[in-house]
Amino acid sequence: MGEIIGIVSGKGGVGKTTITACLGSALSYAGHRVLLCDGDFGLRDLDLVLGVANEIIYDALDASEDKDYMDDAVVSIAENLDFLPASQSARWEDIGRKKYKKLVRRLCEEYDYILIDCAPSLGMLTINALVAADAVIIPVPAAYLPVKGLVQLLKTISMVKRRLNRKLQIEGILITMADFRTNFAKDISAKLYEAYDSTIGIFKTYIPQSVRAAECGAEGISIYKHDPNGNAADAYHRLTLEVLSHEN
Ligand code: ATP
Ligand code: MG
C-alpha cells in the first residue's frame, strides 16, 4: 500500500505546487510509482507546473464525467509518474469526505506515493485531503513571520487527527523560499526551530529562494531539466532523501 502525503499550508504562494511537482518527479526518478493529485480543485496550477498539455487535461476532465472518474482521469506524465487533475470544483466538493477518501485509498494499491497538492485555505477541500492522507508536509516560507497561519493549521490538523483521521502524521515543517543572506530569514527560521523542531519536526533541508524554481512554474518544466545542477534542484533532491528516510 502506498503512502498518501498532503502538501498543506492553508496559505497561498508558499510553494506547495512546486514542491508537489519536484518531490513527485524525484521520487519517480528513484523508481517509486507516484501519483500527483491536484487537491487545489478550481485553480489547477499543478498541470501548468508539470507542463501537461492542455488537451490531455481536458480529455481527462471529459473522461471524468463517467462514474469511475478517479480511475479514468489519471494521466501519465512520465515513467512512474501519473497525475490526477482536478475536476470542476463543485463536483469534487459534492463527492464528500468519505467518498474522496475511499477513492484516493483505492488508488493506493497502484502507487508507492500519492502526493496531494492542497488548496490554499483550510476549507472543505483541504479537510478532505487531510482525512484521506497518512501524512502531511507543511511548507512555511522564511520570508515573513507566518506563525499565526501555522498555529491555525496545526489546530486544524490536530482536530482532524482527533475526530476524523487518527493516523494522520506530520512529516515535518519545510522551510521554503529561504534567502539566508538576510538576517530576517535567519531569524524566522531560528524561531521556527525553537518553537517546533523538538515537537513537530522541521526538515533539515530547506528550499532556497530561487529564480530558477520560479521560472519552472512559469514555463511548465521540471527543475531537474531546467537547472539540474542548481541549488533548488539539489534541495529538492535532499528533501526527497529525507522523505524516503522517514519511511517506516
Ligand atoms: P497557490 O496556493 O497559489 O497554489 P502554491 O503554494 O502552490 O501557491 P507555488 O505556485 O508552487 O505555490 O509557488 C508560488 C510562486 O512562487 C510561483 O510563481 C512559483 O514559481 C514561485 N516559486 C516556487 N518555489 C520557489 C522558490 N523556491 N523560490 C522562488 N520562487 C518560487
Ligand atoms: Mg498551488
Side-chain angles (χ1 to χ4, degrees), residues 175 185-195:
I175 297 178
K186 281 186 205 151
D187 286 352
I188 290 172
S189 72
K191 286 197 174 95
L192 283 168
Y193 271 97
E194 203 181 299

Side-chain angles (χ1 to χ4, degrees), residues 11-18 40 45 120 177 207-210 213-214 217:
K11 293 218 170 276
V14 300
K16 294 180 297 298
T17 300
T18 312
D40 196 355
D45 284 341
M177 300 184 183
I207 307 296
Q209 177 89 47
S210 153

Side-chain angles (χ1 to χ4, degrees), residues 11-18 20 38 40 43-46 49 117-120:
K11 293 218 170 276
V14 300
K16 294 180 297 298
T17 300
T18 312
T20 307
D38 193 347
D40 196 355
L43 292 180
R44 308 218 315 268
D45 284 341
L46 192 55
V49 173
D117 176 19
C118 290

